Amino acid sequence: FIADACAANPDVQWKLVFSHFSPYNSYEKYMEKGQEMRPYFLKFTKDYDIDVVLCGHNHCYLRTYFINGDGTYQNYDSPAADPEGTMYLTLGSSSGSLYHRPSDLKEAAVSKKQSEPQVTGVQVTPDSLTFTTYDAETWEIIDTYEIDKSVG
């Protein structure tokens, strides 16, 4: 499916993948499963130059550094100008039903346990992609990050 979508749209500016389960998660109960999935994700995100992988399942907010196909990673300050690699974003809970405590993950730029529902807005322009995560009750910003492709 990913190969077909990328082949059919070779000139798109942004490539995002949505996955329920994250290969980079910060909830200890799911870390082993995430590690099993990583080789597959690392290969296809590199092969198809995927910008961002958006995930759920963990009820714990996490944003990784930009991860390369070999599993190495690098940090870019926001706005990240033409970053190499793929950013993984695991969205928190918007239902208020369950909040997990995050565990340490070396690839995590941000990993936060919240005690309130969260929502994430995605702003897309031809040159930038901005993710802003809010507390759904107070609209306080929990995290915001921009990727900028206007430089390259």
Side-chain angles (χ1 to χ4, degrees):
F1 172 78
I2 293 171
D4 292 342
C6 289
N9 300 282
D11 298 323
V12 297
Q13 177 75 320
W14 300 107
K15 295 180 185 175
L16 285 76
V17 169
F18 296 86
S19 172
H20 178 79
F21 201 86
S22 175
Y24 291 94
N25 64 71
S26 64
Y27 181 47
E28 191 168 340
K29 182 177 177 180
Y30 304 131
M31 280 185 165
E32 185 176 333
K33 181 67 174 171
Q35 290 169 350
E36 291 172 7
M37 297 168 54
R38 283 183 195 170
Y40 172 74
F41 275 80
L42 290 172
K43 179 170 179 16
F44 83 73
T45 56
K46 177 180 181 247
D47 290 351
Y48 299 106
D49 195 26
I50 303 299
D51 297 297
V52 177
V53 176
L54 292 164
C55 306
H57 190 78
N58 295 344
H59 297 255
C60 181
Y61 179 79
L62 177 127
R63 175 173 50 83
T64 67
Y65 297 115
F66 285 83
I67 300 175
N68 300 310
D70 62 1
T72 60
Y73 56 91
Q74 58 274 343
N75 183 21
Y76 292 88
D77 291 334
S78 180
D82 293 319
E84 304 250 342
T86 302
M87 182 177 81
Y88 292 77
L89 189 64
T90 302
L91 306 177
S93 175
S94 62
S95 68
S97 62
L98 182 62
Y99 301 106
H100 291 148
R101 182 184 58 78
S103 301
D104 291 334
L105 184 69
K106 66 181 181 186
E107 296 90 352
V110 177
S111 178
K112 294 185 177 186
K113 176 184 181 351
Q114 295 299 124
S115 57
E116 303 297 334
Q118 304 164 8
V119 296
T120 298
V122 181
Q123 183 179 18
V124 182
T125 72
D127 293 328
S128 70
L129 196 58
T130 304
F131 301 91
T132 305
T133 298
Y134 303 90
D135 178 304
E137 294 181 357
T138 66
W139 292 102
E140 176 184 347
I141 293 175
I142 294 168
D143 185 43
T144 188
Y145 197 85
E146 180 182 353
I147 302 171
D148 181 0
K149 287 190 177 181
S150 66
V151 179

